[in-house]
């Protein structure tokens, strides 16, 4: 329930104060070099995005926001079109029982669909042609008021459940250097050290202007809010991600959006009686549930038997479709199968190992509508504070502490389950973070390596698409599905 706010009235918005023109800009006058990266700042194009300090937010009326949508305008002006939308039925044969209207950026639609999928809610229309959002933010509107306005207008027009999103990017003030470092000389222009709050599409120009004069570690925070609206409830859920300026770009908004979508799903289930359906994601029932193998599992088993090779050291080589040459379609089907097996686990994160584990981790996270976190074997510039766990002789896995939080419910996913050592290391990281491990998922399990038994002490659900009993004399023998 962290970061949750129930709203019955309009959210506040901030109102920026005007700042005096930069003395550097005055001194240069009209003789500034037009190609300088600092031009957008000195020329004033980012004046409206500077954060006021210490001004307090002023209340904003959502009805006054300059937001408009040609799609909603068309619906409100065409009674037959609006009636057809209201009468739209979800695909009941695929397990959906209710239609939902979305107002999110097109790039976020698939993530939202994955979030609502386990509850039987289908997005039948996404209104993503909103206009005036940038002007509203420049005038001081908050992302809360933007998302709230979109969701309310969509709901009031159609009477349908509506979900809307809005994202902002906040660049911290200062240059982002070490606290004990001496100040630069000559001092940077005031606009370089100012704080900024911009929409994602304005970040590229701002970063280009700031980076040559700032530390690469200057913090940029992405904040996404999802607003849910129906006839009884108005609700906001948040997600955030901190990124060094050097690595900040529009794609990082997917991180904060994934966190917000995960929080939305959790709250709707806890607070609003959303129930997870008994149908499986990504196909029919899977192995180990007493109803025989799914189509995805059958295909995967066939490929293992047909293309798998046993190397002299007993290693199973499935590189023709799973490792260095991935059959993305098959991996996606298997990920949907495994995601379905954890449908009741209220999963909030998938944790895997870079890079082989991403074959399963990424699509599985998409099906469950949650972020995919991956462990690295080497520390990077953005991993100052990490959880770590070792396995084998000299292998250490590292996960940034910001990526797993207490209260997360985590499934560990990997391509292979062999000895269980790497999975145990990841489970240790989950425990160190104060999160709860829900289970372990793998595409191919080497049963003869006894990895499942080594993980038995964790008392977790362990699932795999295909289980290899033995590789005696170079022959791959699989466990029968009805014996699993």
């Amino acid at each position: 329930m962290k970061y949750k706010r129930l709203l019955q009235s309009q959210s506040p918005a901030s109102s920026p104060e005007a700042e005096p023109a930069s003395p550097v800009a005055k001194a240069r006058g009209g003789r500034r070099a037009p190609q300088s990266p600092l031009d957008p700042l000195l020329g004033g194009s980012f004046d409206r995005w500077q954060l006021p300090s210490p001004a307090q937010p002023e209340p904003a009326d959502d009805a006054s926001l300059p937001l408009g949508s040609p799609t909603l305008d068309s619906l409100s002006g065409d009674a037959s079109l609006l009636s057809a939308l209201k009468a739209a039925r979800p695909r009941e044969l695929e397990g959906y029982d209710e239609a939902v209207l979305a107002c999110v950026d097109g790039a976020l639609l698939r993530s939202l669909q994955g979030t609502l999928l386990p509850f039987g809610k289908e997005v039948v229309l996404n209104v993503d042609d909103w206009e005036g959002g940038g002007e509203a933010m420049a005038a001081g509107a908050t992302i809360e008021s933007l998302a709230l306005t979109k969701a309310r207008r969509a709901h009031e027009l159609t009477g349908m459940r509506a979900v809307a999103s809005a994202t902002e990017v906040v660049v911290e003030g200062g240059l982002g250097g070490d606290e004990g470092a001496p100040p630069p000389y000559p001092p940077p222009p005031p606009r370089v050290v100012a704080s900024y709050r911009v929409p994602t599409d304005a970040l590229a120009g701002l970063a280009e202007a700031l980076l040559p004069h700032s530390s690469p570690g200057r913090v940029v925070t992405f904040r996404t809010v999802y607003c849910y609206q129906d006839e009884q409830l108005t609700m906001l859920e948040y997600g955030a991600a901190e990124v060094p300026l050097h690595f900040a770009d529009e794609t990082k908004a997917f991180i904060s959006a994934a966190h917000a979508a995960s929080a939305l799903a959790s709250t709707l289930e806890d607070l609003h009686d959303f129930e997870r359906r008994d149908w499986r994601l990504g196909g029919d029932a899977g192995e180990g549930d007493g109803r025989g193998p799914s189509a995805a599992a059958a295909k995967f088993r066939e490929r293992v038997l047909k293309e798998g090779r046993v190397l002299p050291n007993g290693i199973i080589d499935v590189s023709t479709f799973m490792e260095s040459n991935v059959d993305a379609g098959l991996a996606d089907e298997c990920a949907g199968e495994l995601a379905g097996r954890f449908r009741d686990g209220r999963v909030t994160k998938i944790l895997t190992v870079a890079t082989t584990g991403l074959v399963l981790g990424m699509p599985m996270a998409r099906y469950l509508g949650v972020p995919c976190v991956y462990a690295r074997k080497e520390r990077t510039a953005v991993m100052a504070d990490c959880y770590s766990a070792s396995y084998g002789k000299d292998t250490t896995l590292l996960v940034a502490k910001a990526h797993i939080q207490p209260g997360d419910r985590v499934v560990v996913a990997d391509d292979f389950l062999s000895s269980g050592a790497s999975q145990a290391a990841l489970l240790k990281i989950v425990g160190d973070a104060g999160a709860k491990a829900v289970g372990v998922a793998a595409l191919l399990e080497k049963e003869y390596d006894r990895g499942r038994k080594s993980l038995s002490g964790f008392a977790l659900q362990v699932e795999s698409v295909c289980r290899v009993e033995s590789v005696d004399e170079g022959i791959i023998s699989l466990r029968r599905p009805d014996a699993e």
Side-chain angles (χ1 to χ4, degrees):
M1 306 295 285
K2 190 177 181 182
Y3 303 125
K4 174 174 65 63
R5 282 204 294 167
L6 302 181
L7 303 180
Q8 299 302 331
S9 61
Q10 182 59 43
S11 173
S14 58
S15 177
E17 296 177 342
E19 286 199 4
S22 165
V24 177
K26 288 182 179 179
R28 291 186 178 181
R31 293 188 295 276
R32 291 183 288 108
Q35 301 302 318
S36 169
L38 200 55
D39 270 4
L41 296 179
L42 299 179
S45 63
F46 283 95
D47 276 356
R48 60 181 183 166
W49 304 117
Q50 290 187 20
L51 283 177
S53 179
Q56 297 298 317
E58 296 292 337
D61 179 8
D62 69 295
S64 68
L65 291 177
L67 282 178
S69 164
T71 296
L72 285 191
D73 291 343
S74 298
L75 288 172
S76 61
D78 190 330
S80 61
L81 199 61
L82 182 58
S83 297
L85 176 62
K86 291 181 178 180
R89 298 296 305 162
R91 294 173 293 172
E92 295 178 350
L93 292 179
E94 297 189 23
Y96 298 100
D97 61 8
E98 187 174 5
V100 175
L101 189 64
C103 300
V104 302
D105 183 85
L108 301 180
L109 179 59
R110 178 165 288 186
S111 174
L112 179 61
Q113 289 172 326
T115 298
L116 299 175
L117 178 65
F119 304 107
K121 314 300 181 187
E122 181 178 21
V123 177
V124 295
L125 175 65
N126 181 35
V127 181
D128 62 352
D129 57 353
W130 292 91
E131 301 169 346
E135 291 76 7
M137 283 187 65
T142 62
I143 56 173
E144 289 88 347
S145 61
L146 292 175
L148 185 62
T149 300
K150 295 176 186 178
R152 281 182 173 171
R153 291 183 186 177
H155 172 69
E156 289 170 0
L157 178 63
T158 65
M160 301 167 62
R161 299 182 193 264
V163 180
S165 71
T167 299
E168 68 180 359
V169 185
V170 177
V171 182
E172 72 171 9
L175 298 179
D178 296 335
E179 292 184 4
Y185 185 83
R191 294 180 188 177
V192 172
V193 297
S195 299
Y196 291 88
R197 171 178 169 265
V198 302
T200 53
D201 57 5
L203 175 61
L206 180 60
E208 181 184 7
L210 292 177
L211 192 55
H213 309 276
S214 305
S215 164
R218 187 172 179 177
V219 176
V220 178
T221 302
F222 292 79
R223 293 181 67 247
T224 297
V225 61
Y226 269 98
C227 178
Y228 170 86
Q229 179 72 59
D230 63 18
E231 62 279 359
Q232 298 177 329
L233 178 68
T234 304
M235 181 182 69
L236 297 180
E237 283 291 355
Y238 294 86
E242 290 187 355
V243 180
L245 179 62
H246 181 76
F247 296 100
D249 58 50
E250 291 185 37
T251 63
K252 303 305 185 294
F254 287 102
I255 304 174
S256 59
H259 284 289
S262 177
L264 180 71
S266 178
T267 302
L268 287 174
E269 185 174 14
D270 291 342
L271 181 70
H272 208 38
D273 297 328
F274 270 37
E275 296 181 0
R276 294 182 182 266
R277 303 306 176 194
D278 289 334
W279 45 277
R280 286 194 178 274
L281 307 176
D284 299 325
E287 296 179 71
D289 65 359
R291 292 187 291 176
S294 69
K299 275 198 254 183
F300 190 82
R301 291 168 60 87
E302 181 180 355
R303 295 289 291 275
V304 171
L305 291 173
K306 184 177 180 180
E307 301 179 35
R309 298 185 305 130
V310 180
L311 302 182
N313 53 6
I315 292 177
I316 299 176
D317 176 14
V318 287
S319 58
T320 59
F321 65 93
M322 184 173 152
E323 293 176 357
S324 53
N325 184 46
V326 178
D327 184 332
L330 180 59
D332 185 80
E333 290 182 51
C334 292
E337 156 71 17
L338 288 169
R341 301 188 195 183
F342 292 95
R343 69 192 185 282
D344 298 324
R346 298 170 56 193
V347 180
T348 64
K349 298 277 174 66
I350 297 294
L351 177 61
T352 188
V353 178
T355 56
T356 55
L358 294 173
V359 172
L360 175 62
M362 291 290 281
M364 194 171 172
R366 179 176 66 84
Y367 275 104
L368 291 171
V370 301
C372 178
V373 178
Y374 60 87
R376 293 179 179 269
K377 296 179 181 178
E378 295 180 357
R379 190 182 298 269
T380 67
V382 297
M383 299 177 70
D385 199 8
C386 299
Y387 296 111
S388 65
S390 300
Y391 73 95
K393 292 183 178 180
D394 54 2
T395 303
T396 300
L397 299 180
L398 302 167
V399 176
K401 288 187 176 180
H403 295 165
I404 302 183
Q405 304 293 331
D408 274 331
R409 298 176 60 84
V410 183
V411 168
V412 170
D414 212 341
D415 55 348
F416 280 93
L417 172 56
S418 300
S419 67
S422 62
Q423 288 81 11
L426 292 176
L427 291 171
K428 180 183 183 300
I429 289 175
V430 173
D432 290 345
K436 178 175 177 58
V438 176
V440 174
L443 287 172
L444 192 150
E445 177 181 350
K446 298 178 182 178
E447 196 173 63
Y448 54 90
D449 272 350
R450 304 172 68 83
R452 182 181 292 261
K453 185 172 182 179
S454 71
L455 297 175
S456 61
F458 291 96
L460 296 172
Q461 179 182 354
V462 178
E463 299 287 350
S464 58
V465 178
C466 176
R467 295 169 66 173
V468 180
E469 282 189 317
S470 69
V471 289
D472 296 339
E473 299 180 357
I475 299 174
I476 298 176
S477 299
L478 305 184
R479 176 180 284 272
R480 288 169 43 199
D482 56 5
E484 297 186 6

